[in-house]
Amino acid sequence: MSEELTGAPTFLDKFPQEAAVVRAALWSSFIALTLGAVFGIIQALHRTDILRVIDSTDYYTVLTAHGVLMVISFTIFFLVGAFTWAIVRSFDRNVEDIRYTWTWYGMMVTGTLMAVVAILGGFVDSIDLSADVLYTFYAPLQGHPLFYGGLAIFLIGTWLAGADWFRSWRAWKAENPDERIPLQAFMVLTTMLMWYIASIGITIAVVGFLLPWSLGIIEQVNPLLTRTLFWFWGHPVVYFWLMPAYLLWYTVLPTVAGGRLFSDPLGRVVFVLFLLLSTPVGIHHQYVDPGIASGFKLIAMTNTMFLLLPSLLTAFTVVASVEHAARQRGGTGLLGWLRALPWRDPAFTGMMLAGLMFAAGGFSGMINAGMNINYLIHNTLWVPGHFHLTVGTAVALTMMAATYWLWPQLSNRRLFSRPIGLAQVVIWFVGMALMSNAMHIQGLFGIPRRTAEPQYQGFDFATTFGSVTELNMQLAVGGTLLFISTVLFVGNIALSTGTPKLSGLGEELTEPLSAAHDSPEILDNLKLWFGIAFVLVILAYMLPLASIISRGGVFGPGVDPVPVIAEPIRVGIQPLVASVEPTVSRVIAVVGSVVQ
Amino acid sequence: MNIHNYEKIWLVLAMVMIIGFISTVVYGATAVGIEMISDEPDTIDSTALDEDDRFSEPRVEKVGDNEYEAYVIAQQFIFRPDPITVPANSTVTFYVTSPDVIHGFEVVGTNANTMVIPGEVSQLTVEFNEPGEYGILCNEYCGGGHHTMEGKLIVQPEDEFEQGGNDE
């Protein structure tokens, strides 16, 4: 990337009002990231028993806050900022009504604050406010109505944001009837269609059941039903986090690398595939749930495996684009071209490291998707190990790295420090490599996720290599590095607001090698893809949901709410003997679950 | 639409890999016989487990030659019975349910692992070959005392196993 000022106008020069919204959304995102990181390091040190600054019962308040702030607030605020930028930039027109744009942003902020207040109330015993229900809020654990209400308002905010972008599309199309949808806008619109379909599940769960239930309007819910509706949304939401990263890999990374995107048509195909396949797979989170027939699980498994396809295609296109860039820069040889890339640029290096880690995350995800091998790792620490590679690195690190490129376009100010930025992305990569590796291995030993103290009285975990203590150290060191990296990132952006304003910082995105007109026009038929996606979801979910309801009823087979507002029930279960068992015998797979 | 040759090769390899993965899982589910937790048996009123023959008294029961059934309750924050005692060289079908919130039932270090959802009964069949002791833990967050929720599974040598020694 050249250091001379190109003199091109920035996004801020062209669209000052929209740039303000994007900056606000990004700041909301980074504040959530900072808080999430504080809770993250508390957890990393607590569960490894290195430093316990809170009670173990409060661990679950911390865990709920970490999960919600990171995967709802951090990622989705970044998404709405990046998507607003992408829509306005690629249509090259203002939003239709900036007051409307601020309205949906305001709703998202309000919703977040409501949910966060409900969650943090868990720290204060004297008030009846709590939502220690974790990010998944499985009933019959019951949080405060403020939590569910906040979630609902936040969701409505995201829908209105999507409507804003569809409005821009309609207005643009009226003026450009014969043009192909610009690639970035295409990616935004297909992602939002996926989001609307996915939202059906969580809307029914929250508005139809959990909110009225928490208010006492309905007495019981069917826990399997609300759980299934959660995962109806819960899997596509991971692609909702991922799609902004993909958009940045397809459209910003080639430019930052000094080249051009290999293929625009392939990018469109990939986003259409995500629209079609993201939702009818949620049951793969419920492989070991009772009450769901194994046939439905098999179908979900098959669909899930096909979801690998768009990501594998993306790997090809991104690497091809980067190689093209390297050769443009004079790189040669089978792999020697790698040396010609701008590794000193934190935006480039960050996105490349994020992509590399996504490959690792993809492989551990294939294990999760493997229905029968999933028995071994279900709800163990392996699972957070996996998603800290995907959402925790592929998404989070790409968002941070892209900010290093995007921020000057939004503020007309240079980044405070590129070397600190470079160190930051490398520290994140190293920290996550350590933490995630330790989590994966601990998961293989059966160490559970979501627990304050994975240290038990009656038994030890059998380790096949390394020791639990070593792995705990690795996890804690990794978590600490990630915290440091977050501080460096947010500090760098905060200090950038104090650098002098410059003009001419603008950088244009390069055009793809193979342009949109190489692809069939049917790809741009959003109604068609939305229709097919909708039918696929109905096919995938109609029978399982009907079966759950016919078995257990809409409001459950008789299950009372268990509010987490009250102090948890403490049952005295002092172990008789805290014996230290020889562990070797447990490694032998004496137990195999079989037939019935 | 112009698709580069390398892209086509990559696409074919990707599809081969995906179909390979699906095949291995299907092979495991059919030929090897690793069954998934399923929608058997029926739902149960979780507020009235006392009135259910299986769960009013959580226990291990002999139902055939080397065949046993274990009725287990996972609740905030214990497993019943505890310990669960079964003989070696047996096939044990676990029926696990919950009177309060969602729990996990994981026999540590093995692939015996299921969610426990109030209103549903999880059924899983496990073969025990050799004597030994296993930890059982809850692997789904179930409230403030979640981290204390553990139990024990003892696989006794056949000659030592006594019927009826399993009640709470």
Side-chain angles (χ1 to χ4, degrees):
Chain A
M1 198 163 73
S2 81
E3 267 301 293
E4 303 94 62
L5 302 185
T6 57
T10 59
F11 185 77
L12 174 61
D13 296 330
K14 287 166 122 177
F15 304 104
Q17 289 190 313
E18 285 79 359
V21 179
V22 178
R23 281 200 312 272
L26 261 46
W27 268 123
S28 309
S29 160
F30 301 152
I31 291 167
L33 173 68
T34 311
L35 290 171
V38 171
F39 294 125
I41 192 167
I42 292 174
Q43 280 167 250
L45 299 178
H46 189 99
R47 67 168 285 145
T48 53
D49 200 11
I50 287 169
L51 176 68
R52 289 186 169 162
V53 294
I54 50 164
D55 278 347
S56 284
T57 39
D58 286 337
Y59 179 90
Y60 305 103
T61 310
V62 171
L63 180 52
T64 308
H66 176 73
V68 170
L69 284 167
M70 286 302 206
V71 302
I72 300 293
S73 312
F74 162 55
T75 50
I76 299 181
F77 271 116
F78 190 96
L79 176 144
V80 295
F83 277 12
T84 302
W85 165 75
I87 282 284
V88 170
R89 194 208 71 84
S90 65
F91 284 141
D92 199 19
R93 60 180 295 130
N94 292 93
V95 296
E96 298 313 298
D97 181 352
I98 195 75
R99 286 167 306 177
Y100 176 80
T101 306
W102 281 112
T103 305
W104 58 249
Y105 169 74
M107 288 186 72
M108 289 175 64
V109 172
T110 311
T112 304
L113 291 177
M114 286 166 66
V116 167
V117 165
I119 295 166
L120 297 185
F123 286 122
V124 190
D125 288 341
S126 53
I127 51 170
D128 259 4
L129 187 66
S130 167
D132 296 347
V133 289
L134 304 194
Y135 154 68
T136 45
F137 50 87
Y138 295 138
L141 283 175
Q142 192 180 58
H144 193 275
L146 200 60
F147 175 79
Y148 303 111
L151 197 64
I153 290 175
F154 181 87
L155 274 175
I156 296 168
T158 64
W159 300 340
L160 296 180
D164 201 1
W165 306 324
F166 275 94
R167 246 175 115 183
S168 288
W169 174 48
R170 251 184 39 194
W172 172 87
K173 203 173 158 191
E175 292 167 19
N176 304 273
D178 301 322
E179 274 191 52
R180 298 297 293 267
I181 306 174
L183 182 60
Q184 283 192 325
F186 182 87
M187 292 172 162
V188 170
L189 298 176
T190 44
T191 303
M192 291 317 291
L193 290 179
M194 182 265 279
W195 183 241
Y196 287 126
I197 293 178
S199 296
I200 299 169
I202 194 144
T203 308
I204 299 174
V206 171
V207 180
F209 294 105
L210 300 177
L211 184 58
W213 174 67
S214 70
L215 290 166
I217 298 168
I218 54 176
E219 279 181 9
Q220 295 189 329
V221 295
N222 181 338
L224 181 61
L225 178 61
T226 50
R227 181 179 158 85
T228 305
L229 290 168
F230 176 86
W231 285 115
F232 180 115
W233 168 85
H235 198 73
V237 75
V238 314
Y239 292 101
F240 198 56
W241 306 327
L242 193 61
M243 290 305 100
Y246 270 42
L247 180 143
L248 295 164
W249 291 350
Y250 273 98
T251 63
V252 174
L253 181 61
T255 303
V256 173
R260 297 163 65 185
L261 174 64
F262 187 71
S263 165
D264 167 306
L266 204 68
R268 286 174 204 256
V269 169
V270 163
F271 274 71
V272 166
L273 285 174
F274 277 118
L275 165 59
L276 298 183
L277 293 175
S278 290
T279 314
V281 296
I283 288 177
H284 73 213
H285 291 261
Q286 301 175 279
Y287 282 153
V288 299
D289 275 18
I292 299 177
S294 36
F296 298 139
K297 294 172 178 173
L298 193 78
I299 293 169
M301 182 278 294
T302 311
N303 293 349
T304 307
M305 291 297 181
F306 278 104
L307 255 176
L308 285 170
L309 187 64
S311 285
L312 288 165
L313 292 178
T314 301
F316 179 91
T317 312
V318 170
V319 174
S321 309
V322 169
E323 180 178 347
H324 170 76
R327 297 200 187 279
Q328 293 296 108
R329 303 167 70 99
T332 52
L334 186 63
L335 290 171
W337 53 269
L338 283 167
R339 280 199 299 270
L341 290 164
W343 293 108
R344 285 176 180 283
D345 180 355
F348 175 77
T349 302
M351 283 198 255
M352 290 298 280
L353 292 177
L356 187 62
M357 230 165 215
F358 190 52
F363 280 101
S364 76
M366 292 171 203
I367 307 285
N368 304 343
M371 199 167 77
N372 23 36
I373 202 167
N374 172 68
Y375 271 121
L376 197 62
I377 47 89
H378 179 81
N379 267 358
T380 68
L381 202 52
W382 168 287
V383 178
H386 159 73
F387 65 66
H388 278 81
L389 292 179
T390 52
V391 65
T393 303
V395 174
L397 188 54
T398 298
M399 288 177 172
M400 291 187 272
T403 304
Y404 291 137
W405 179 85
L406 189 58
W407 197 256
Q409 309 298 317
L410 299 172
S411 64
N412 280 354
R413 296 175 200 271
R414 278 221 171 102
L415 191 63
F416 173 72
S417 165
R418 277 163 60 105
I420 292 177
L422 188 59
Q424 184 264 322
V425 296
V426 173
I427 291 172
W428 189 279
F429 183 82
V430 173
M432 194 57 87
L434 292 172
M435 187 173 91
S436 169
N437 181 56
M439 288 171 136
H440 276 98
I441 297 175
Q442 290 198 346
L444 288 178
F445 300 157
I447 298 180
R449 64 185 289 201
R450 297 185 146 182
T451 185
E453 298 177 17
Q455 294 92 25
Y456 293 88
Q457 311 282 350
F459 61 92
D460 286 327
F461 292 101
T463 55
T464 40
F465 50 95
S467 70
V468 173
T469 316
E470 268 169 48
L471 291 165
N472 276 342
M473 282 309 292
Q474 203 186 107
L475 197 163
V477 170
T480 309
L481 289 176
L482 290 166
F483 179 74
I484 293 169
S485 178
T486 310
V487 172
L488 290 178
F489 169 73
V490 180
N492 206 352
I493 298 299
L495 289 171
S496 302
T497 57
T499 60
K501 276 217 173 204
L502 298 170
S503 60
L505 283 176
E507 281 183 52
E508 293 290 330
L509 295 181
T510 53
E511 290 301 315
L513 288 167
S514 168
H517 55 73
D518 285 347
S519 64
E521 293 216 8
I522 194 165
L523 274 179
D524 286 14
N525 187 339
L526 297 182
K527 270 187 200 146
L528 173 72
W529 301 121
F530 181 76
I532 297 177
F534 199 78
V535 170
L536 286 178
V537 171
I538 294 195
L539 287 178
Y541 268 103
M542 194 175 57
L543 291 176
L545 286 175
S547 153
I548 289 168
I549 291 169
S550 75
R551 285 165 49 83
V554 174
F555 298 104
V559 180
D560 286 335
V562 181
V564 289
I565 297 166
E567 270 293 281
I569 310 146
R570 296 190 191 259
V571 183
I573 45 157
Q574 290 306 316
L576 300 171
V577 197
S579 58
V580 180
E581 289 300 319
T583 51
V584 189
S585 60
R586 292 206 200 97
V587 187
I588 309 159
V590 229
V591 179
S593 73
V594 278
V595 241
Q596 181 65 22
Chain B
M1 187 164 146
N2 172 30
I3 301 178
H4 198 282
N5 272 341
Y6 287 138
E7 221 169 325
K8 282 182 193 155
I9 296 169
W10 180 265
L11 185 66
V12 170
L13 290 177
M15 287 303 288
V16 167
M17 191 169 84
I18 289 167
I19 290 165
F21 283 140
I22 294 173
S23 311
T24 57
V25 177
V26 172
Y27 174 79
T30 53
V32 183
I34 302 173
E35 291 256 324
M36 298 312 296
I37 308 286
S38 191
D39 58 350
E40 299 283 330
D42 273 343
T43 55
I44 186 169
D45 183 344
S46 74
T47 59
L49 296 187
D50 287 352
E51 293 158 27
D52 188 284
D53 289 343
R54 296 164 296 176
F55 298 104
S56 56
E57 206 180 302
R59 65 196 181 275
V60 176
E61 207 173 79
K62 185 167 185 171
V63 290
D65 272 355
N66 299 322
E67 281 185 26
Y68 295 82
E69 289 187 347
Y71 306 109
V72 180
I73 290 181
Q75 68 185 65
Q76 285 178 329
F77 299 102
I78 53 168
F79 292 100
R80 292 192 293 155
D82 184 27
I84 300 169
T85 309
V86 297
N89 295 315
S90 64
T91 303
V92 181
T93 300
F94 290 89
Y95 296 88
V96 195
T97 194
S98 160
D100 42 45
V101 299
I102 296 183
H103 296 279
F105 176 86
E106 173 188 328
V107 181
V108 178
T110 74
N111 61 354
N113 189 348
T114 182
M115 301 302 300
V116 184
I117 300 179
E120 299 284 348
V121 178
S122 309
Q123 175 186 331
L124 68 159
T125 301
V126 178
E127 280 179 359
F128 294 97
N129 299 331
E130 287 170 39
E133 278 192 26
Y134 299 88
I136 296 175
L137 59 79
C138 170
N139 63 16
E140 184 56 83
Y141 167 66
C142 58
H146 166 54
H147 46 274
T148 62
M149 184 162 167
E150 62 173 293
K152 197 172 263 187
L153 183 115
I154 300 172
V155 184
Q156 284 188 337
E158 277 167 277
D159 48 352
E160 285 175 31
F161 181 77
E162 278 177 47
Q163 190 53 37
N166 271 288
D167 299 329
E168 279 171 290

